[in-house]
Short mmCIF file of all heavy atoms in Angstrom, two decimals:
data_model
loop_
_atom_site.label_atom_id
_atom_site.label_comp_id
_atom_site.label_asym_id
_atom_site.label_seq_id
_atom_site.Cartn_x
_atom_site.Cartn_y
_atom_site.Cartn_z
N ILE A 121 181.68 62.12 71.75
CA ILE A 121 183.09 61.84 72.09
C ILE A 121 183.92 63.16 71.97
O ILE A 121 184.77 63.47 72.83
CB ILE A 121 183.70 60.73 71.28
CG1 ILE A 121 182.95 59.39 71.60
CG2 ILE A 121 185.16 60.58 71.47
CD1 ILE A 121 183.26 58.27 70.67
N THR A 122 183.75 63.87 70.86
CA THR A 122 184.61 65.04 70.57
C THR A 122 184.26 66.24 71.51
O THR A 122 185.03 67.24 71.53
CB THR A 122 184.46 65.49 69.11
OG1 THR A 122 183.00 65.62 68.84
CG2 THR A 122 185.04 64.47 68.20
N GLN A 123 183.17 66.13 72.29
CA GLN A 123 182.88 67.19 73.24
C GLN A 123 183.97 67.27 74.33
O GLN A 123 184.15 68.31 74.97
CB GLN A 123 181.49 66.95 73.92
CG GLN A 123 180.37 67.22 72.99
CD GLN A 123 180.30 68.61 72.41
OE1 GLN A 123 180.53 69.57 73.19
NE2 GLN A 123 180.03 68.68 71.15
N PHE A 124 184.76 66.18 74.54
CA PHE A 124 185.78 66.16 75.47
C PHE A 124 187.07 66.80 74.98
O PHE A 124 188.01 67.02 75.74
CB PHE A 124 186.09 64.73 75.95
CG PHE A 124 184.99 64.07 76.69
CD1 PHE A 124 184.15 63.21 76.01
CD2 PHE A 124 184.79 64.32 77.97
CE1 PHE A 124 183.07 62.63 76.66
CE2 PHE A 124 183.68 63.73 78.71
CZ PHE A 124 182.85 62.84 78.01
N VAL A 125 187.08 67.22 73.70
CA VAL A 125 188.20 67.93 73.13
C VAL A 125 187.97 69.39 73.27
O VAL A 125 186.98 69.90 72.74
CB VAL A 125 188.41 67.52 71.59
CG1 VAL A 125 189.58 68.26 71.02
CG2 VAL A 125 188.54 66.05 71.46
N ARG A 126 188.83 70.12 73.98
CA ARG A 126 188.64 71.54 74.20
C ARG A 126 188.63 72.40 73.00
O ARG A 126 187.81 73.24 72.80
CB ARG A 126 189.72 71.97 75.28
CG ARG A 126 189.37 71.59 76.68
CD ARG A 126 190.39 72.28 77.60
NE ARG A 126 190.11 72.03 79.03
CZ ARG A 126 190.81 72.59 80.02
NH1 ARG A 126 191.83 73.35 79.75
NH2 ARG A 126 190.47 72.24 81.24
N ASP A 127 189.66 72.18 72.19
CA ASP A 127 189.85 73.02 71.02
C ASP A 127 188.77 72.66 70.01
O ASP A 127 188.69 71.57 69.49
CB ASP A 127 191.26 72.75 70.41
CG ASP A 127 191.68 73.81 69.41
OD1 ASP A 127 190.82 74.17 68.56
OD2 ASP A 127 192.77 74.32 69.49
N GLN A 128 187.99 73.67 69.62
CA GLN A 128 186.86 73.41 68.66
C GLN A 128 187.39 73.04 67.30
O GLN A 128 186.72 72.31 66.60
CB GLN A 128 185.94 74.69 68.59
CG GLN A 128 185.17 74.92 69.89
CD GLN A 128 184.24 73.74 70.21
OE1 GLN A 128 183.50 73.27 69.29
NE2 GLN A 128 184.25 73.32 71.40
N VAL A 129 188.49 73.66 66.88
CA VAL A 129 189.09 73.26 65.55
C VAL A 129 189.39 71.84 65.48
O VAL A 129 189.09 71.12 64.56
CB VAL A 129 190.25 74.19 65.24
CG1 VAL A 129 190.89 73.76 63.90
CG2 VAL A 129 189.84 75.68 65.19
N TRP A 130 190.13 71.36 66.52
CA TRP A 130 190.50 69.95 66.55
C TRP A 130 189.26 69.05 66.71
O TRP A 130 189.24 67.98 66.10
CB TRP A 130 191.49 69.67 67.74
CG TRP A 130 192.86 70.13 67.52
CD1 TRP A 130 193.51 71.14 68.12
CD2 TRP A 130 193.79 69.59 66.57
NE1 TRP A 130 194.79 71.32 67.66
CE2 TRP A 130 195.00 70.33 66.72
CE3 TRP A 130 193.75 68.60 65.62
CZ2 TRP A 130 196.12 70.09 65.89
CZ3 TRP A 130 194.86 68.31 64.88
CH2 TRP A 130 196.07 69.03 65.01
N ALA A 131 188.33 69.51 67.49
CA ALA A 131 187.07 68.71 67.65
C ALA A 131 186.37 68.53 66.33
O ALA A 131 185.99 67.37 65.99
CB ALA A 131 186.16 69.33 68.66
N ARG A 132 186.26 69.55 65.53
CA ARG A 132 185.59 69.52 64.24
C ARG A 132 186.39 68.57 63.27
O ARG A 132 185.84 67.82 62.50
CB ARG A 132 185.42 70.89 63.61
CG ARG A 132 184.38 71.72 64.38
CD ARG A 132 184.01 72.93 63.59
NE ARG A 132 183.08 73.83 64.26
CZ ARG A 132 183.45 74.86 65.01
NH1 ARG A 132 184.72 75.20 65.06
NH2 ARG A 132 182.58 75.61 65.64
N PHE A 133 187.74 68.77 63.30
CA PHE A 133 188.60 67.98 62.39
C PHE A 133 188.44 66.50 62.74
O PHE A 133 188.23 65.65 61.78
CB PHE A 133 190.05 68.46 62.59
CG PHE A 133 191.05 67.57 61.88
CD1 PHE A 133 191.18 67.75 60.51
CD2 PHE A 133 191.78 66.65 62.52
CE1 PHE A 133 192.12 66.95 59.82
CE2 PHE A 133 192.67 65.81 61.81
CZ PHE A 133 192.90 65.99 60.49
N ILE A 134 188.53 66.18 64.01
CA ILE A 134 188.40 64.75 64.38
C ILE A 134 186.98 64.18 64.04
O ILE A 134 186.90 63.08 63.52
CB ILE A 134 188.67 64.60 65.91
CG1 ILE A 134 190.07 64.92 66.28
CG2 ILE A 134 188.32 63.19 66.38
CD1 ILE A 134 190.39 65.05 67.75
N ALA A 135 185.94 65.00 64.27
CA ALA A 135 184.58 64.56 63.91
C ALA A 135 184.46 64.29 62.46
O ALA A 135 183.88 63.25 62.06
CB ALA A 135 183.64 65.62 64.42
N VAL A 136 184.88 65.21 61.64
CA VAL A 136 184.77 65.04 60.19
C VAL A 136 185.56 63.83 59.68
O VAL A 136 185.02 63.03 58.89
CB VAL A 136 185.20 66.33 59.47
CG1 VAL A 136 185.24 66.10 57.98
CG2 VAL A 136 184.22 67.45 59.77
N VAL A 137 186.77 63.71 60.13
CA VAL A 137 187.64 62.58 59.65
C VAL A 137 187.03 61.24 60.07
O VAL A 137 186.88 60.32 59.28
CB VAL A 137 189.04 62.71 60.22
CG1 VAL A 137 189.91 61.48 59.88
CG2 VAL A 137 189.75 63.99 59.53
N VAL A 138 186.74 61.14 61.38
CA VAL A 138 186.24 59.84 61.87
C VAL A 138 184.84 59.50 61.25
O VAL A 138 184.65 58.31 60.91
CB VAL A 138 186.11 59.85 63.45
CG1 VAL A 138 185.47 58.58 63.98
CG2 VAL A 138 187.49 60.05 64.05
N TRP A 139 184.04 60.48 61.12
CA TRP A 139 182.71 60.22 60.47
C TRP A 139 182.84 59.89 59.01
O TRP A 139 182.16 59.03 58.51
CB TRP A 139 181.79 61.47 60.62
CG TRP A 139 180.39 61.17 60.13
CD1 TRP A 139 179.40 60.55 60.85
CD2 TRP A 139 179.83 61.46 58.86
NE1 TRP A 139 178.24 60.46 60.12
CE2 TRP A 139 178.51 61.01 58.84
CE3 TRP A 139 180.33 62.05 57.72
CZ2 TRP A 139 177.68 61.12 57.74
CZ3 TRP A 139 179.52 62.18 56.60
CH2 TRP A 139 178.18 61.74 56.63
N GLY A 140 183.83 60.54 58.31
CA GLY A 140 184.05 60.17 56.91
C GLY A 140 184.45 58.75 56.76
O GLY A 140 183.97 58.01 55.84
N ILE A 141 185.39 58.30 57.66
CA ILE A 141 185.83 56.89 57.59
C ILE A 141 184.63 55.95 57.96
O ILE A 141 184.45 54.91 57.26
CB ILE A 141 186.98 56.67 58.58
CG1 ILE A 141 188.22 57.49 58.14
CG2 ILE A 141 187.32 55.19 58.70
CD1 ILE A 141 189.32 57.52 59.13
N ALA A 142 183.90 56.34 59.01
CA ALA A 142 182.72 55.49 59.35
C ALA A 142 181.76 55.41 58.23
O ALA A 142 181.14 54.36 57.90
CB ALA A 142 182.06 56.05 60.59
N ALA A 143 181.51 56.58 57.50
CA ALA A 143 180.54 56.59 56.41
C ALA A 143 180.99 55.72 55.28
O ALA A 143 180.17 54.93 54.74
CB ALA A 143 180.36 58.00 55.95
N LEU A 144 182.21 55.75 54.90
CA LEU A 144 182.76 54.87 53.86
C LEU A 144 182.65 53.43 54.23
O LEU A 144 182.34 52.59 53.38
CB LEU A 144 184.26 55.23 53.56
CG LEU A 144 184.46 56.57 52.83
CD1 LEU A 144 185.96 56.87 52.77
CD2 LEU A 144 183.86 56.59 51.43
N ASN A 145 182.88 53.09 55.52
CA ASN A 145 182.82 51.73 55.95
C ASN A 145 181.38 51.25 55.94
O ASN A 145 181.07 50.10 55.51
CB ASN A 145 183.35 51.61 57.36
CG ASN A 145 183.52 50.16 57.85
OD1 ASN A 145 184.02 49.34 57.11
ND2 ASN A 145 183.02 49.87 59.02
N ILE A 146 180.42 52.08 56.38
CA ILE A 146 179.00 51.74 56.36
C ILE A 146 178.52 51.52 54.94
O ILE A 146 177.72 50.57 54.69
CB ILE A 146 178.17 52.83 57.05
CG1 ILE A 146 178.45 52.80 58.59
CG2 ILE A 146 176.63 52.61 56.86
CD1 ILE A 146 177.90 54.04 59.33
N LEU A 147 178.97 52.35 54.07
CA LEU A 147 178.59 52.20 52.65
C LEU A 147 179.36 51.17 51.86
O LEU A 147 179.16 51.00 50.65
CB LEU A 147 178.73 53.57 51.90
CG LEU A 147 177.84 54.66 52.48
CD1 LEU A 147 178.25 56.02 51.87
CD2 LEU A 147 176.38 54.40 52.15
N GLU A 148 180.24 50.48 52.56
CA GLU A 148 181.12 49.43 52.01
C GLU A 148 182.04 50.02 50.86
O GLU A 148 182.26 49.35 49.85
CB GLU A 148 180.33 48.23 51.49
CG GLU A 148 179.49 47.54 52.54
CD GLU A 148 178.61 46.41 52.04
OE1 GLU A 148 178.65 46.24 50.82
OE2 GLU A 148 178.04 45.71 52.87
N LEU A 149 182.43 51.21 51.06
CA LEU A 149 183.31 51.90 50.14
C LEU A 149 184.72 52.14 50.62
O LEU A 149 185.57 52.76 49.96
CB LEU A 149 182.66 53.20 49.63
CG LEU A 149 181.37 53.15 48.85
CD1 LEU A 149 180.81 54.53 48.62
CD2 LEU A 149 181.52 52.36 47.58
N LEU A 150 185.01 51.72 51.86
CA LEU A 150 186.22 52.02 52.50
C LEU A 150 187.41 51.33 51.76
O LEU A 150 188.38 52.00 51.40
CB LEU A 150 186.26 51.65 53.96
CG LEU A 150 187.53 52.00 54.73
CD1 LEU A 150 187.80 53.49 54.66
CD2 LEU A 150 187.39 51.57 56.21
N GLN A 151 187.28 50.03 51.59
CA GLN A 151 188.38 49.33 50.93
C GLN A 151 188.63 49.74 49.46
O GLN A 151 189.76 49.96 49.07
CB GLN A 151 188.12 47.84 51.02
CG GLN A 151 188.22 47.24 52.44
CD GLN A 151 189.59 47.50 53.04
OE1 GLN A 151 190.63 47.45 52.40
NE2 GLN A 151 189.52 47.78 54.40
N PRO A 152 187.56 49.88 48.64
CA PRO A 152 187.78 50.42 47.30
C PRO A 152 188.44 51.80 47.27
O PRO A 152 189.23 52.09 46.41
CB PRO A 152 186.35 50.46 46.71
CG PRO A 152 185.61 49.45 47.45
CD PRO A 152 186.18 49.53 48.86
N THR A 153 188.03 52.64 48.21
CA THR A 153 188.63 54.01 48.29
C THR A 153 190.09 53.92 48.65
O THR A 153 190.95 54.60 48.04
CB THR A 153 187.90 54.84 49.33
OG1 THR A 153 186.48 54.95 48.95
CG2 THR A 153 188.50 56.29 49.35
N LEU A 154 190.44 53.07 49.62
CA LEU A 154 191.80 52.94 50.03
C LEU A 154 192.65 52.37 48.84
O LEU A 154 193.82 52.75 48.63
CB LEU A 154 191.94 51.98 51.23
CG LEU A 154 191.32 52.49 52.51
CD1 LEU A 154 191.47 51.47 53.65
CD2 LEU A 154 192.05 53.84 52.97
N ALA A 155 192.09 51.37 48.12
CA ALA A 155 192.78 50.83 46.98
C ALA A 155 193.06 51.84 45.89
O ALA A 155 194.10 51.91 45.30
CB ALA A 155 192.02 49.63 46.46
N LEU A 156 192.02 52.67 45.66
CA LEU A 156 192.19 53.70 44.62
C LEU A 156 193.22 54.73 45.08
O LEU A 156 194.06 55.13 44.22
CB LEU A 156 190.83 54.37 44.43
CG LEU A 156 190.82 55.63 43.42
CD1 LEU A 156 191.22 55.17 42.02
CD2 LEU A 156 189.48 56.27 43.39
N LEU A 157 193.19 55.17 46.30
CA LEU A 157 194.22 56.17 46.75
C LEU A 157 195.60 55.56 46.74
O LEU A 157 196.58 56.24 46.45
CB LEU A 157 193.88 56.58 48.23
CG LEU A 157 192.58 57.44 48.34
CD1 LEU A 157 192.27 57.63 49.82
CD2 LEU A 157 192.79 58.77 47.62
N ASP A 158 195.72 54.22 47.06
CA ASP A 158 197.04 53.61 47.07
C ASP A 158 197.57 53.49 45.60
O ASP A 158 198.75 53.42 45.35
CB ASP A 158 196.98 52.22 47.74
CG ASP A 158 198.34 51.61 47.92
OD1 ASP A 158 199.20 52.27 48.58
OD2 ASP A 158 198.53 50.46 47.47
N SER A 159 196.64 53.36 44.61
CA SER A 159 197.08 53.21 43.21
C SER A 159 197.59 54.51 42.63
O SER A 159 198.30 54.54 41.66
CB SER A 159 195.90 52.72 42.39
OG SER A 159 194.88 53.67 42.30
N LEU A 160 197.22 55.68 43.27
CA LEU A 160 197.71 57.01 42.79
C LEU A 160 199.08 57.20 43.45
O LEU A 160 199.18 57.83 44.49
CB LEU A 160 196.71 58.08 43.20
CG LEU A 160 195.30 57.91 42.64
CD1 LEU A 160 194.41 58.93 43.17
CD2 LEU A 160 195.32 58.01 41.08
N ALA A 161 200.15 56.68 42.82
CA ALA A 161 201.43 56.71 43.50
C ALA A 161 202.54 57.03 42.44
O ALA A 161 202.37 56.95 41.28
CB ALA A 161 201.73 55.36 44.11
N LEU A 162 203.65 57.46 43.00
CA LEU A 162 204.86 57.67 42.21
C LEU A 162 206.09 57.32 43.05
O LEU A 162 206.05 57.28 44.26
CB LEU A 162 204.94 59.10 41.71
CG LEU A 162 204.85 60.25 42.76
CD1 LEU A 162 206.24 60.55 43.35
CD2 LEU A 162 204.26 61.51 42.12
N ASN A 163 207.17 56.98 42.33
CA ASN A 163 208.39 56.59 43.03
C ASN A 163 209.37 57.80 43.03
O ASN A 163 209.69 58.35 41.98
CB ASN A 163 209.04 55.33 42.35
CG ASN A 163 208.30 54.08 42.65
OD1 ASN A 163 207.64 53.95 43.64
ND2 ASN A 163 208.36 53.15 41.73
N ILE A 164 209.88 58.09 44.19
CA ILE A 164 210.90 59.12 44.35
C ILE A 164 212.15 58.38 44.85
O ILE A 164 212.29 58.16 46.00
CB ILE A 164 210.50 60.22 45.24
CG1 ILE A 164 209.18 60.90 44.81
CG2 ILE A 164 211.61 61.32 45.38
CD1 ILE A 164 208.66 61.91 45.78
N GLY A 165 213.05 58.05 43.90
CA GLY A 165 214.17 57.17 44.24
C GLY A 165 213.71 55.78 44.63
O GLY A 165 213.00 55.16 43.85
N ASN A 166 214.04 55.38 45.83
CA ASN A 166 213.55 54.08 46.30
C ASN A 166 212.29 54.18 47.16
O ASN A 166 211.86 53.17 47.73
CB ASN A 166 214.67 53.37 47.16
CG ASN A 166 215.83 53.06 46.28
OD1 ASN A 166 215.76 52.75 45.09
ND2 ASN A 166 217.05 53.15 46.93
N ILE A 167 211.72 55.34 47.27
CA ILE A 167 210.57 55.58 48.11
C ILE A 167 209.28 55.66 47.24
O ILE A 167 209.29 56.44 46.27
CB ILE A 167 210.73 56.84 48.95
CG1 ILE A 167 211.94 56.79 49.77
CG2 ILE A 167 209.48 57.13 49.77
CD1 ILE A 167 212.29 58.10 50.52
N ARG A 168 208.34 54.90 47.61
CA ARG A 168 207.05 54.90 46.90
C ARG A 168 206.11 55.83 47.67
O ARG A 168 205.79 55.58 48.84
CB ARG A 168 206.42 53.51 46.74
CG ARG A 168 205.06 53.47 45.92
CD ARG A 168 204.63 52.04 45.87
NE ARG A 168 203.40 51.93 45.09
CZ ARG A 168 202.16 52.08 45.57
NH1 ARG A 168 201.96 52.36 46.86
NH2 ARG A 168 201.09 52.00 44.73
N VAL A 169 205.58 56.84 47.05
CA VAL A 169 204.69 57.77 47.66
C VAL A 169 203.34 57.75 46.96
O VAL A 169 203.26 58.02 45.75
CB VAL A 169 205.25 59.26 47.60
CG1 VAL A 169 204.27 60.22 48.29
CG2 VAL A 169 206.63 59.31 48.27
N SER A 170 202.32 57.37 47.69
CA SER A 170 200.94 57.33 47.14
C SER A 170 200.08 58.38 47.84
O SER A 170 200.40 58.95 48.86
CB SER A 170 200.40 55.95 47.34
OG SER A 170 200.17 55.70 48.77
N ALA A 171 198.90 58.63 47.24
CA ALA A 171 197.95 59.50 47.86
C ALA A 171 197.56 59.03 49.24
O ALA A 171 197.39 59.81 50.15
CB ALA A 171 196.75 59.72 46.95
N LEU A 172 197.45 57.72 49.40
CA LEU A 172 197.06 57.12 50.71
C LEU A 172 198.16 57.38 51.69
O LEU A 172 197.86 57.72 52.88
CB LEU A 172 196.84 55.59 50.53
CG LEU A 172 196.48 54.85 51.76
CD1 LEU A 172 195.18 55.41 52.37
CD2 LEU A 172 196.36 53.34 51.50
N THR A 173 199.44 57.28 51.30
CA THR A 173 200.54 57.51 52.20
C THR A 173 200.50 58.95 52.68
O THR A 173 200.72 59.25 53.87
CB THR A 173 201.88 57.21 51.51
OG1 THR A 173 201.89 55.87 51.03
CG2 THR A 173 203.03 57.43 52.45
N VAL A 174 200.25 59.88 51.75
CA VAL A 174 200.21 61.31 52.12
C VAL A 174 199.15 61.59 53.11
O VAL A 174 199.32 62.29 54.07
CB VAL A 174 200.05 62.20 50.91
CG1 VAL A 174 199.86 63.64 51.26
CG2 VAL A 174 201.30 62.03 49.95
N ILE A 175 197.91 61.04 52.83
CA ILE A 175 196.80 61.25 53.79
C ILE A 175 197.05 60.61 55.12
O ILE A 175 196.75 61.27 56.19
CB ILE A 175 195.54 60.64 53.12
CG1 ILE A 175 195.11 61.36 51.85
CG2 ILE A 175 194.36 60.62 54.17
CD1 ILE A 175 193.97 60.73 51.12
N GLU A 176 197.64 59.44 55.14
CA GLU A 176 198.03 58.85 56.40
C GLU A 176 199.03 59.70 57.16
O GLU A 176 198.90 59.93 58.38
CB GLU A 176 198.63 57.46 56.20
CG GLU A 176 197.58 56.41 55.77
CD GLU A 176 198.24 55.04 55.54
OE1 GLU A 176 199.49 55.05 55.42
OE2 GLU A 176 197.53 54.03 55.50
N GLY A 177 199.96 60.27 56.40
CA GLY A 177 201.01 61.14 57.07
C GLY A 177 200.35 62.32 57.67
O GLY A 177 200.68 62.78 58.78
N VAL A 178 199.48 62.99 56.91
CA VAL A 178 198.73 64.21 57.41
C VAL A 178 197.93 63.87 58.64
O VAL A 178 197.89 64.60 59.60
CB VAL A 178 197.87 64.78 56.31
CG1 VAL A 178 197.01 65.92 56.88
CG2 VAL A 178 198.78 65.34 55.16
N PHE A 179 197.25 62.70 58.63
CA PHE A 179 196.40 62.28 59.74
C PHE A 179 197.26 62.03 60.98
O PHE A 179 196.95 62.55 62.13
CB PHE A 179 195.66 61.02 59.40
CG PHE A 179 194.85 60.48 60.54
CD1 PHE A 179 193.70 61.07 60.90
CD2 PHE A 179 195.29 59.38 61.21
CE1 PHE A 179 192.94 60.54 61.96
CE2 PHE A 179 194.61 58.83 62.31
CZ PHE A 179 193.38 59.47 62.70
#
Side-chain angles (χ1 to χ4, degrees):
I121 294 171
T122 53
Q123 289 301 317
F124 295 99
V125 181
R126 282 187 175 183
D127 193 316
Q128 290 300 312
V129 175
W130 283 113
R132 290 192 185 97
F133 174 78
I134 294 171
V136 171
V137 170
V138 175
W139 187 82
I141 295 173
L144 288 173
N145 189 48
I146 291 169
L147 296 171
E148 299 181 354
L149 296 174
L150 183 58
Q151 291 304 321
T153 301
L154 293 177
L156 176 61
L157 291 174
D158 189 55
S159 67
L160 301 173
L162 55 85
N163 287 334
I164 304 176
N166 295 325
I167 301 175
R168 182 178 183 274
V169 180
S170 67
L172 180 61
T173 304
V174 174
I175 293 173
E176 287 178 346
V178 172
F179 174 76

